[in-house]
Amino acid sequence: MHYPHVLEAFADPVPARERIIRSFHHRLDSLPARGSSFFIHLSELCPVACEHCMYSSDLERKSEKVALSRGELEGAIRFISESSSQKLNITGGGEPFLKFSSILRLLATVDVPRIEIVTAGHWATTPKRTARIMGQLDAARARNPVNPELLLRLSIDRYHLNAPRPVRIEHYGNVLRCWSETQPRFAAGLRSIQPDMGIVDRMIAEELGAELHEVDDWNRTLLLPSGGSVPITFNVFRRSGKALQLAEDHRGASKTLREYYGPFEKQPGNLSLATAVNDAIRGDYTATSGLAVTLNSDGTFWIFCGTAPDRKLLLGEQNFAEAVAYFFEDPLTHLLVDEGIWALSDLVMDLDPKTHSAALDKNDSAALVDDLLAPDDVRLAATLIATQDLLTRSRATLDPEHPLAELLSDPGIDMARICRDIVRTGGPAR
């Protein structure tokens, strides 16, 4: 049976998807009103330039805008505070300590109960400099009226140790000795990659004269001579960014995303990172009613693992509630928030096995949704399938004048099969 309106949509999939979104109306009583994890990327640049960097960061500009301006940072602080997020992650894209004044401003003013800073630690070149910087972090956090919990987390692996501008074991030692000796009012931790378990953890233990204790298959603890303890988490090895060019292959030494995230699924096969508080260092990804948000250094932001690549917003255009409403105009956000990334992954595997394989092979959750939905026809197909599911479960409506309204409202129509046949055979869009 032929469906001319569906074929017509795939002939020009980008405006066809836009028309679906304009005609789509969800029936949720309320939308998420707060954040869970909030990720902010302060810079896209990094002086270390690791060969495995998922962001391909170095000191070469890759975009016209490499960092938030002072005014944009103030806007970001208002936006983060407005989101009532449970945790702020000052993290990747580049090295956040290149914007150290921005870190201090965030620590002193943002209204969140927990903050985590991820850094390469390249700045810890001497004990004196390390003590000065860590003292500034402690003082800034202490000025914050909400008294947030703070974790300083250093990335340590073979690539940082052998980078063009390496972070040496002594640098990590400077940070952890300073933390142990001065006892600032924040925690310290390390993060690494699974192929380096048993390597870099032993190196830093020897540097510090510490004991190494195994917690589980991705966490260990350093027991320092002073009695303090420092957790070290070994995450999956991501084969994205610069790592795509690496000759070495770590597949056998690193879990897949499905294996790694298995313990954190709300139920078997359901993993909504779009609603999680990311806390791997505590062995936890807590599902919440809030939304995880990523704010990039160019000012764009989106729901982490919850937004199609064509629906990102620019800081300053909407407040938090308006941004959430915009994201939920897209049926794909409902799919990703309610059913999780594996639901999208399985859908795309059925539609376009090649796109699915390439996306999963990167082993990178941050890039997964963008990669799965990169082809225009796959993105439209996923939208149609998600829309039909929401309509037939009475969780949404579609304007009756839309040419696909009747078809998508019919539970007897196998929209997944129709879309699969079009995408796999090339269809009009190919």
Side-chain angles (χ1 to χ4, degrees), residues 246-304:
L246 288 176
E248 57 203 290
D249 181 68
H250 294 304
R251 283 170 175 80
S254 178
K255 292 184 177 183
T256 66
L257 287 180
R258 279 190 182 264
E259 291 170 337
Y260 179 79
Y261 284 115
F264 309 125
E265 294 175 352
K266 291 193 294 185
Q267 56 191 38
N270 187 312
L271 178 71
S272 179
L273 294 178
T275 61
V277 177
N278 175 350
D279 203 5
I281 205 162
R282 296 184 182 181
D284 188 24
Y285 282 74
T286 305
T288 75
S289 59
L291 294 171
V293 177
T294 297
L295 172 60
N296 198 33
S297 54
D298 64 1
T300 57
F301 68 94
W302 58 93
I303 301 173
F304 176 75

Side-chain angles (χ1 to χ4, degrees), residues 283-352:
D284 188 24
Y285 282 74
T286 305
T288 75
S289 59
L291 294 171
V293 177
T294 297
L295 172 60
N296 198 33
S297 54
D298 64 1
T300 57
F301 68 94
W302 58 93
I303 301 173
F304 176 75
C305 286
T307 306
D310 58 355
R311 294 290 288 177
K312 295 177 180 179
L313 288 173
L314 188 64
L315 183 67
E317 292 182 346
Q318 289 93 358
N319 61 30
F320 185 75
E322 291 168 342
V324 171
Y326 171 84
F327 290 132
F328 275 84
E329 291 172 1
D330 185 355
L332 291 180
T333 289
H334 292 262
L335 170 69
L336 288 162
V337 170
D338 295 340
E339 301 181 46
I341 57 174
W342 302 140
L344 176 64
S345 172
D346 293 345
L347 188 156
V348 175
M349 180 171 61
D350 185 54
L351 290 168
D352 186 346

Side-chain angles (χ1 to χ4, degrees), residues 6-19 376-377 380 428-429:
V6 180
L7 290 171
E8 182 180 339
F10 277 93
D12 204 352
V14 173
R17 172 171 145 77
E18 292 173 353
R19 187 173 180 185
D376 294 340
D377 55 349
L380 173 61

Side-chain angles (χ1 to χ4, degrees), residues 127-297:
K128 182 177 180 180
R129 187 168 192 262
T130 302
R132 183 178 73 251
I133 290 173
M134 293 181 67
Q136 289 175 283
L137 295 174
D138 197 20
R141 188 213 60 82
R143 292 195 298 272
N144 192 319
V146 302
N147 192 33
E149 176 186 336
L150 174 62
L151 169 64
L152 178 65
R153 195 173 180 199
L154 291 90
S155 297
I156 178 172
D157 53 57
R158 70 184 72 180
Y159 299 101
H160 284 79
L161 295 172
N162 296 298
R165 185 181 175 186
V167 186
R168 306 189 186 283
I169 283 293
E170 304 88 72
H171 296 168
Y172 299 105
N174 287 338
V175 173
L176 297 182
R177 276 188 288 265
C178 178
W179 176 79
S180 177
E181 293 166 2
T182 63
Q183 298 185 352
R185 289 158 292 182
F186 60 80
L190 301 170
R191 72 174 191 173
S192 190
I193 54 176
Q194 289 180 343
D196 279 357
M197 182 177 285
I199 301 174
V200 294
D201 46 340
R202 294 189 184 280
M203 293 174 68
I204 189 63
E206 290 176 6
E207 169 71 18
L208 296 168
E211 295 181 16
L212 197 58
H213 293 266
E214 185 172 336
V215 178
D216 52 38
D217 58 359
W218 68 83
N219 284 289
R220 292 187 174 179
T221 300
L222 291 168
L223 183 61
L224 304 179
S226 64
S229 65
V230 176
I232 175 169
T233 296
F234 295 85
N235 210 320
V236 298
F237 182 78
R238 297 174 172 90
R239 294 183 288 273
S240 61
K242 286 185 180 180
L244 285 171
Q245 310 302 320
L246 288 176
E248 57 203 290
D249 181 68
H250 294 304
R251 283 170 175 80
S254 178
K255 292 184 177 183
T256 66
L257 287 180
R258 279 190 182 264
E259 291 170 337
Y260 179 79
Y261 284 115
F264 309 125
E265 294 175 352
K266 291 193 294 185
Q267 56 191 38
N270 187 312
L271 178 71
S272 179
L273 294 178
T275 61
V277 177
N278 175 350
D279 203 5
I281 205 162
R282 296 184 182 181
D284 188 24
Y285 282 74
T286 305
T288 75
S289 59
L291 294 171
V293 177
T294 297
L295 172 60
N296 198 33
S297 54

Side-chain angles (χ1 to χ4, degrees), residues 28-46:
L28 295 183
D29 293 332
S30 61
L31 294 175
R34 62 173 301 169
S36 51
S37 283
F38 200 111
F39 302 87
I40 184 169
H41 301 166
L42 293 179
S43 174
E44 73 167 25
L45 305 179
C46 179

